Amino acid sequence: MDLTPPRALTRRPSFSRRQTLTLAGAGAGAAALALPFAQNAAAATADTPAGATARDTAAGTGADDPYDTLLARAEQQLTGGDFDPEDADFATALTALDTQAAAWWQSIDTAAGRKALWPDLAPASDPGMFGQSYTRLRTLATAWATPGTSLSADTSVRDGLLDALRFLHSTGYNASRPETGNWWFWEIGAPRALMDTCVLLRSALPAEDLADYLATVAKFVPDPDRRTNSPTLAETGANRADKAVIVALRGLLARDPDVVALARDGLSDIRDGGRNSLFRYVTSGDGFYADGSFVQHSYVAYTGTYGSVLLGSVGQLIALLADTTWAVKDPAVTVLYDAVDRSFAPVLLDGLMMDALRGRAVSRERARDHTDGAVTVSYILQLADGAPQSYADRWRATAKGWILRNQETPYRTLVGLPALARAKAVLDDPAVRPAERLTGHFAFADMDRVVHRRPGWACALSLSSKRIAAYEAGNGENLHGWYTGDGMTYLYDGDDLDAFGDGFWPTVDPYRLPGTTVDTRARADLGTDGGTSTLRPKNAVAGGTVLDERYGAAAMELMADGSTLRAKKAWFFVDNAVVALGAGITASDGRTIETVVENRNLHAESAPVLTVDGHRQPTGSGWSAALPGARWAHLEGTGGYVFPSGGPLRALREERTGTWRALNTGADTGGSTTPVTRRYATLWFDHGPSPTSASYAYVLLPGASAAATGAWSRSRPVRIIANDATVQAVESPRLGLLAAHFWAAGSADGLLADGPCTVLVRRRHEGITVAVADPGRTTATLTLQLPFPVSRVISADGTISVTPGRRAVLTVRLGGSRGHTHTAELI
């Protein structure tokens, strides 16, 4: 299978979680594998002859020495192993690696009195600067070790790398220094890149130098279990996985079996009896949840970055240690295998990672949704190499479908040689049939996220509560993330996968994110201080329920930060429509309140037609209009919008310019000051200053034509039956579906609830299905009365008891269920 353009092949540097390396301006993004880093190193040191290399020291151990074998594996994970430099499938990645490495090699400072290796990373004594310097040296070492690059096997490059490592050790990163600034550079970023570089240079690295580097890493990453600068803090999630890899590499380089075992045991948290094992489901804090959620930093939905890092790091270590005395044999590793299907597949659309799961990483210019998605796909294929066949076969088919469908940002342009080699094997194997797009409705109750997937589109909701943060910012990142967790609605069109990846974040109006209801007050930048911080709002309700894996309902009580704004928001997912309702919208600060229906990225030059009630609107930037009587609208290439209750609708077409630097000034992730310009079409409801009990209603019809949108508006196949501060509900007679969120005891079309809950009921000839959840987690026991008779129970969760009759009554024990769905099938 021809993966691409014209030329040689590539191997690519591994990427740290915090910095997805951009290899040249060609857009080559994340590294194929590698991630975790850091740890202890005892040392191949004492009584070593002066001038001996690390390999000389190990001489005499035999051809099948396990350390040599595993270090060769580690090198292959970085370079991709043997390949044909003339194979065109690898040309893009090889060119990107070569271009970037050559540029850094040409600009490296070798002067005796230097203060840094590169002028933009000065002084090298600063942790952010030496951390990034090690990352560049790893890229250079990868190019040196990769056939087909201009630096390959060049002795001057080798000697320059050895000299640069000594300089960084003496000037910046050594065991005599205390940690200052951001701990991450000391305990993960620098040691991981350093250990990778030592693996690549091990045949030339003097034993004395290696001993110094191992001793440094041993000080700052003695084990995967604890934060070195805060020894009482146990490492969790991706940080633990990162450190496990660093420790393993240190142990292999030091030829210390106990250190290698320490790395492996860190995955299962042997030290603390499994409390922080990466192979267990958590019910709070960091890690994977049984419902597919992944949380890091205690309160942040982070499947797309930290979750991906964990997947890659653990997968790398499993592959590295396979078939040795240190092999990972914890039977609970199936938790990680199941996470591919539960946690990652629902939030990957044709290989892009949905932004609702990427936290502050959305502000990183060099790590957009396609890039992070491609890295995750590479980790899934890596894990498949060592997983049971039933898992591996399914993942390879899924990955093949992702890669083949995404032609807007081809996989080959985003990953390096190790990932390309795996992908090429899958693409060339006729026995692997590409899987179709995943469809279904997914309610991730433990991280306040909702994903609805249809064959041609997907929709993701980013909610927040007192349990899950509205945003994370810090270390100069995500400076404008104020409203990303306030019900932001990501609508993905299968025919335009770049809506959020093509310059969206630096150019979108951050006060008008789709789906949000906002106070228009001016906001100060977030995250300008050191460290990271989160905002957890005071509301309890955020989440919803799912029925038949196809239909969904969700709700969020908005309690705006720094404002008196309050609102009750609900969404109903009915086949090919998303109905959004808002009620009780109240504020008293004197500022205008808006609800944003859409703020669509039209890219740099597109001018799709906007039609309102059958009338074509002007396409020029700067056009705006009040549309108080509008019943429907259609945006060419996106879909339709229906306004069942009318309302104070406004529309705008504008061209917006911004910079990535305005969003991210991070030490190793900061954006450029290059202006980015994109066009937008915006629809919003203007609720006016200090509204009292205002409301809204709109329907999204992704992919619908203008004619179909107008017909939907007239026929109303989904009817709104309630939209107030007590209950918000819709029904679809054709589907026999009734969906409601009760904010308090109330009724909707004969459905009675005696307390807060979200309910879906579907009545068909073959029976009745019911799904109930309590996204506020405040109701212990709920009584629900159905508006029609039930004769018997076909099946029901153990938490549901049913009293059949003309008006059947369900009693649902919701306490302790953490907002998850309870279901029953009746007849």
Side-chain angles (χ1 to χ4, degrees):
M1 167 75 63
D2 179 21
L3 283 175
T4 101
R7 233 207 90 174
L9 237 119
T10 185
R11 296 183 183 186
R12 186 209 231 57
S14 60
F15 294 65
S16 83
R17 153 175 83 270
R18 293 180 45 90
Q19 183 179 29
T20 302
L21 298 179
T22 305
L23 300 182
L33 290 167
L35 276 165
F37 322 173
Q39 205 289 286
N40 193 316
T45 148
D47 302 321
T48 298
T53 68
R55 182 158 292 178
D56 293 332
T57 306
T61 56
D64 58 352
D65 174 78
Y67 299 104
D68 284 345
T69 299
L70 296 188
L71 287 168
R73 279 188 195 174
E75 179 177 357
Q76 184 171 351
Q77 290 178 332
L78 289 165
T79 66
D82 294 332
F83 63 89
D84 176 6
E86 299 304 317
D87 188 332
D89 283 344
F90 300 97
T92 299
L94 185 61
T95 299
L97 170 62
D98 192 24
T99 302
Q100 182 63 88
W104 281 336
W105 174 244
Q106 291 166 8
S107 61
I108 195 169
D109 188 348
T110 59
R114 60 191 168 180
K115 299 297 182 182
L117 295 177
W118 290 277
D120 61 326
L121 297 181
S125 57
D126 179 270
M129 301 299 102
F130 67 64
Q132 294 179 80
S133 296
Y134 278 118
T135 298
R136 291 186 184 181
L137 293 183
R138 177 174 57 194
T139 301
L140 287 170
T142 303
W144 174 79
T146 299
T149 73
S150 61
L151 307 185
S152 180
D154 187 318
T155 55
S156 64
V157 174
R158 177 201 65 195
D159 295 343
L161 284 167
L162 297 178
D163 177 66
L165 287 172
R166 294 186 192 109
F167 169 76
L168 288 182
H169 176 75
S170 63
T171 305
Y173 191 55
N174 60 63
S176 68
R177 294 192 67 189
E179 286 192 29
T180 58
N182 189 339
W183 72 272
W184 185 89
F185 290 111
W186 297 89
E187 300 187 30
I188 293 180
R192 175 54 188 278
L194 174 57
M195 291 295 90
D196 284 344
T197 304
C198 288
V199 167
L200 294 165
L201 293 173
R202 67 191 184 284
S203 63
L205 195 61
E208 183 178 354
D209 288 359
L210 177 62
D212 287 342
Y213 306 151
L214 293 176
T216 299
V217 175
K219 173 184 176 179
F220 295 109
V221 199
D223 56 63
D225 302 313
R226 292 290 186 275
R227 183 72 51 83
T228 304
N229 76 345
S230 182
T232 60
L233 178 63
E235 292 292 11
T236 58
N239 292 335
R240 173 177 287 267
D242 274 351
K243 288 191 169 185
V245 176
I246 299 169
V247 174
L249 296 177
R250 179 175 64 82
L252 293 175
L253 287 163
R255 313 180 91 79
D256 187 328
D258 293 336
V259 173
V260 181
L262 185 65
R264 176 203 60 204
D265 294 345
L267 301 179
S268 302
D269 191 21
I270 300 300
R271 172 175 176 172
D272 290 322
R275 183 183 313 151
N276 298 294
S277 170
L278 302 180
F279 306 139
R280 65 182 287 266
Y281 290 121
V282 300
T283 56
S284 64
D286 293 354
F288 289 107
Y289 291 72
D291 73 345
S293 298
F294 180 86
V295 170
Q296 189 83 31
H297 293 174
S298 301
Y299 312 111
V300 187
Y302 253 137
T303 313
T305 47
Y306 285 90
S308 177
V309 168
L310 189 159
L311 181 71
S313 297
V314 177
Q316 182 185 357
L317 204 51
I318 289 172
L320 180 63
L321 302 179
D323 303 318
T324 71
T325 56
W326 302 293
V328 177
K329 296 181 179 179
D330 189 335
V333 72
T334 55
V335 168
L336 187 68
Y337 297 156
D338 290 337
V340 172
D341 299 301
R342 292 185 183 185
S343 302
F344 294 100
V347 299
L348 282 164
L349 179 64
D350 292 350
L352 74 77
M353 178 62 70
M354 294 181 179
D355 277 350
L357 289 307
R358 299 202 307 124
R360 69 184 193 277
V362 300
S363 69
R364 296 174 184 169
E365 183 176 8
R366 297 180 295 280
R368 63 184 184 129
D369 52 5
H370 287 277
T371 306
D372 279 353
V375 172
T376 304
V377 173
S378 77
Y379 295 154
I380 291 171
L381 288 176
Q382 173 185 247
L383 191 64
D385 286 346
Q389 187 171 352
S390 60
Y391 288 101
D393 288 348
R394 182 169 65 252
W395 300 341
R396 289 182 178 123
T398 299
K400 189 169 187 174
W402 287 333
I403 294 169
L404 291 177
R405 281 191 298 272
N406 190 344
Q407 298 302 310
E408 292 187 40
T409 310
Y411 184 75
R412 67 175 183 271
T413 66
L414 300 171
V415 298
L417 178 62
L420 283 176
R422 285 191 174 86
K424 184 174 171 62
V426 169
L427 293 171
D428 287 347
D429 186 350
V432 179
R433 299 175 61 87
E436 298 294 327
R437 278 183 179 142
L438 179 67
T439 60
H441 188 86
F442 304 87
F444 298 103
D446 287 309
M447 63 177 181
D448 291 356
R449 294 296 186 270
V450 175
V451 175
H452 187 73
R453 300 179 62 125
R454 300 296 295 155
W457 58 274
C459 182
L461 294 183
S462 181
L463 311 178
S464 59
S465 66
K466 61 184 181 182
R467 302 173 299 274
I468 293 294
Y471 58 76
E472 181 182 59
N475 293 323
E477 294 193 298
N478 203 24
L479 303 184
H480 297 167
W482 311 297
Y483 302 115
T484 50
D486 285 1
M488 184 174 178
T489 304
Y490 297 85
L491 180 59
Y492 292 92
D493 182 343
D495 294 325
D496 177 14
L497 297 175
D498 266 345
F500 301 99
D502 176 30
F504 175 83
W505 292 103
T507 58
V508 71
D509 184 341
Y511 296 91
R512 286 180 174 163
L513 300 180
T516 61
T517 298
V518 298
D519 181 331
T520 54
R521 70 190 181 101
R523 301 292 300 266
D525 284 355
L526 303 169
T528 55
D529 297 329
T532 59
S533 61
T534 60
L535 171 73
R536 282 184 293 154
K538 298 178 181 179
N539 58 291
V541 176
T545 190
V546 56
L547 179 69
D548 297 337
E549 299 181 348
R550 179 169 180 173
Y551 307 104
M556 176 180 167
E557 181 181 12
L558 178 66
M559 303 178 74
D561 175 40
S563 169
T564 59
L565 172 61
R566 301 292 183 268
K568 299 186 185 310
K569 298 170 70 71
W571 295 263
F572 301 96
F573 300 85
V574 185
D575 271 350
N576 291 320
V578 180
V579 182
L581 302 181
I585 302 170
T586 300
S588 58
D589 303 296
R591 296 182 293 267
T592 296
I593 305 300
E594 298 178 350
T595 293
V596 185
V597 176
E598 179 63 281
N599 200 355
R600 199 69 180 171
N601 180 2
L602 306 181
H603 309 296
E605 298 180 355
S606 179
V609 173
L610 176 67
T611 302
V612 178
D613 290 340
H615 302 288
R616 178 172 174 158
Q617 306 300 309
T619 58
S621 291
W623 169 82
S624 65
L627 304 167
R631 309 306 293 181
W632 64 272
H634 179 267
L635 182 62
E636 182 183 13
T638 299
Y641 310 84
V642 175
F643 312 104
S645 306
L649 184 70
R650 296 190 62 86
L652 170 69
R653 300 190 78 124
E654 63 177 337
E655 193 169 86
R656 296 181 56 83
T657 298
T659 69
W660 284 99
R661 191 69 180 177
L663 305 182
N664 193 316
T665 60
D668 61 339
T669 60
S672 70
T673 58
T674 304
V676 180
T677 300
R678 294 293 183 268
R679 296 174 178 177
Y680 285 86
T682 312
L683 298 170
W684 75 97
F685 289 111
D686 184 342
H687 302 296
S690 298
T692 300
S693 297
S695 65
Y696 64 81
Y698 63 89
V699 182
L700 303 178
L701 300 174
S705 66
T709 302
W712 203 102
S713 175
R714 293 187 295 272
S715 63
R716 302 286 175 85
V718 180
R719 297 191 302 111
I720 298 170
I721 57 177
N723 186 24
D724 56 45
T726 299
V727 60
Q728 293 169 302
V730 302
E731 70 168 353
S732 171
R734 179 179 63 85
L735 296 172
L737 183 70
L738 174 61
H741 178 77
F742 293 92
W743 296 96
S747 65
D749 203 30
L751 176 68
L752 276 66
D754 71 348
C757 63
T758 307
V759 184
L760 289 166
V761 180
R762 191 177 186 203
R763 186 187 189 192
R764 295 168 294 166
H765 176 73
E766 56 268 34
I768 300 162
T769 51
V770 182
V772 186
D774 173 24
R777 308 188 187 187
T778 59
T779 303
T781 301
L782 174 78
T783 299
L784 194 66
Q785 187 176 73
L786 302 183
F788 33 71
V790 168
S791 60
R792 59 189 176 90
V793 179
I794 303 300
S795 66
D797 290 348
T799 53
I800 297 180
S801 60
V802 181
T803 303
R806 292 181 59 82
R807 295 290 301 275
V809 174
L810 282 67
T811 302
V812 188
R813 296 189 301 280
L814 295 170
S817 61
R818 305 199 318 275
H820 292 116
T821 294
H822 306 247
T823 60
E825 295 183 35
L826 317 169
I827 195 168

